[in-house]
Amino acid sequence: MRKGNALVVGATGITGGNLASYLNASGWTVYGLSRRPTTQTGIIPVAADLLDRKATEKALADLPITHVFYCTWIKRDSEKANVEANSAMMQNLLDALQGAKIKHVSLVTGTKQYLGSFESYGSGKTETPFRESAPRVPGENFYYALEDTMFAAAERDGFSWNVHRPHTVIGYALGNAMNMGVTLAVYASICKATDKPFTFPGSQTQWNALTDLTDALVLARQLEWAATTPGAHNEAFNTVNGDVFRWRRLWREIGEFFELEVADCPEMPLPLETQMADIAPIWADIAEKHDLVEADVTKLASWWHTDADLGRELECVNDITKSRDFGFDHFRETRGAFFDLFTRLRAERIIP
């Protein structure tokens, strides 16, 4: 007996890819929707651009979907454009599935719920630890537009829903725009190859403050749990590992993993996007020397996103009491999540 027919939207991303694999192993029939067909074993590929309404309808016609897991987004040049594009994607998807009589929709957003959009990042006045009951931050935010589009469709079509709000997700994914784990592994490998110290690129605030992160498998487990637990339906849940840490300790531990000299945190941030602007030929040489599977560093590292996380000038800690009260008690040590990822990246010849 299969648990249901899941449509994972964004199946090639860090969240969707790990979720699709987890659901498949957990006993679901999994359809993976993405612009380019997924090649994951056991996942039924569905190729569509959600901004193309007719193409979306055609791709989803007659699929027996019971549960939707929405794990995608698209970045535009302004938050107004982000709102328009992302709400259109969600609307086109849910309209195309209206005849399928889906039971449940799960939406993955994140901590910009509390911090504000890309344009006004850090403008939120929500006190830490962030709680799901906090009011929305004033101003446009495509997370809010996605929620509102889903809420309206749920009222129209009668399905239940959940919103999941992870912090930065750590997990295996390549070619992903929001991928701190692989980015730090590539950066550490470059430091080792060029005999440079492993220097924290972010702010003194992030170096010293408490923070948390989200392992992709913790998020996958919570997504399945909430979607299949009636008492947890129609709720928003923060999703983090369950531990807190300071980068000043974890950075040194990551440096030790790669056998690197770890520099003191500089007074001013040294963004990776600036440091790594001309790194492509050096990475190509590293890849050739170690017979790595990807010589194009731009397909591995997301310097800008890691800079945004590590350069924040405010504390970011998420409260997961609500999730625990509702019955979800899975947790993960963040240090172990990084080290397991680094070990896999070495085994698959992504890094030396």
Side-chain angles (χ1 to χ4, degrees):
M1 292 287 293
R2 306 297 284 177
K3 291 182 177 179
N5 297 326
L7 179 68
V8 177
V9 184
T12 58
I14 188 169
T15 296
N18 285 281
L19 173 64
S21 295
Y22 171 78
L23 292 177
N24 180 55
S26 185
W28 293 72
T29 297
V30 181
Y31 296 84
L33 191 152
S34 53
R35 282 187 288 272
R36 296 179 301 276
T38 180
T39 58
Q40 287 189 79
T41 301
I43 310 303
I44 303 167
V46 180
D49 180 351
L50 293 180
L51 287 172
D52 187 329
R53 186 177 182 86
K54 290 185 177 180
T56 301
E57 290 174 352
K58 182 178 179 180
L60 297 175
D62 301 322
L63 294 185
I65 305 302
T66 59
H67 294 70
V68 175
F69 297 90
Y70 195 91
C71 313
T72 193
W73 68 289
I74 191 167
K75 191 174 188 298
R76 294 297 194 231
D77 292 335
S78 69
E79 194 59 23
K80 180 179 180 181
N82 282 339
V83 168
E84 292 174 353
N86 285 278
S87 57
M89 289 166 61
M90 172 70 88
Q91 190 70 61
N92 290 342
L93 175 82
L94 295 178
D95 286 351
L97 290 171
Q98 191 170 8
K101 299 181 179 179
I102 53 177
K103 298 178 181 178
H104 189 84
V105 175
S106 302
L107 168 63
V108 178
T109 59
T111 50
K112 284 190 289 296
Q113 174 80 22
Y114 311 111
L115 294 169
S117 68
F118 284 115
E119 286 185 354
S120 56
Y121 198 64
S123 64
K125 304 301 181 183
T126 306
E127 188 173 10
T128 56
F130 302 140
R131 293 177 180 160
E132 296 89 341
S133 57
R136 290 178 172 182
V137 177
E140 291 190 296
N141 189 322
F142 78 88
Y143 284 179
Y144 307 157
L146 285 172
E147 285 187 346
D148 291 343
T149 302
M150 181 182 68
F151 295 157
E155 186 173 353
R156 178 192 70 188
D157 299 336
F159 58 77
S160 55
W161 55 267
N162 286 110
V163 179
H164 299 260
R165 298 170 182 165
H167 195 176
T168 300
V169 178
I170 304 301
Y172 183 85
L174 305 180
N176 186 264
M178 303 173 72
N179 198 335
M180 178 189 283
V182 176
T183 298
L184 293 184
V186 170
Y187 174 54
S189 300
I190 291 169
C191 288
K192 190 162 189 175
T194 56
D195 198 28
K196 293 182 178 179
F198 189 50
T199 304
F200 187 72
S203 68
Q204 287 276 341
T205 299
Q206 288 306 299
W207 180 253
N208 291 307
L210 285 172
T211 191
D212 50 31
L213 294 175
T214 304
D215 181 77
L217 184 56
V218 171
L219 178 53
R221 289 178 181 271
Q222 194 197 60
L223 280 157
E224 182 190 35
W225 161 79
T228 57
T229 304
H233 288 173
N234 303 331
E235 297 286 347
F237 294 109
N238 290 337
T239 319
V240 288
N241 289 340
D243 63 353
V244 293
F245 66 92
R246 300 182 201 276
W247 276 110
R248 68 189 187 206
R249 175 187 288 180
L250 182 56
W251 193 261
R252 296 186 186 282
E253 292 170 333
I254 293 174
E256 290 170 2
F257 181 95
F258 286 98
E259 300 178 330
L260 290 166
E261 174 192 350
V262 179
D264 290 333
C265 180
E267 288 297 320
M268 297 297 294
L270 299 172
L272 290 172
E273 193 165 28
T274 301
Q275 289 189 57
M276 300 292 112
D278 301 316
I279 207 66
I282 293 176
W283 181 258
D285 289 343
I286 294 170
E288 182 178 8
K289 179 180 179 180
H290 295 278
D291 191 27
L292 303 183
V293 300
E294 182 53 72
D296 185 351
V297 72
T298 65
K299 294 182 179 179
L300 298 175
S302 51
W303 309 120
W304 69 273
H305 186 262
T306 298
D307 284 338
D309 276 348
L310 300 183
R312 285 188 298 232
E313 295 290 349
L314 70 169
E315 183 180 72
C316 188
V317 178
N318 295 269
D319 190 308
I320 54 172
T321 302
K322 179 180 177 181
S323 182
R324 288 169 170 163
D325 282 346
F326 273 77
F328 182 76
D329 58 5
H330 190 73
F331 66 92
R332 183 77 163 94
E333 183 200 30
T334 298
R335 179 179 59 176
F338 272 114
F339 292 174
D340 285 352
L341 173 62
F342 299 155
T343 300
R344 180 178 176 181
L345 293 173
R346 278 181 170 169
E348 298 192 12
R349 302 195 343 269
I350 307 300
I351 61 172

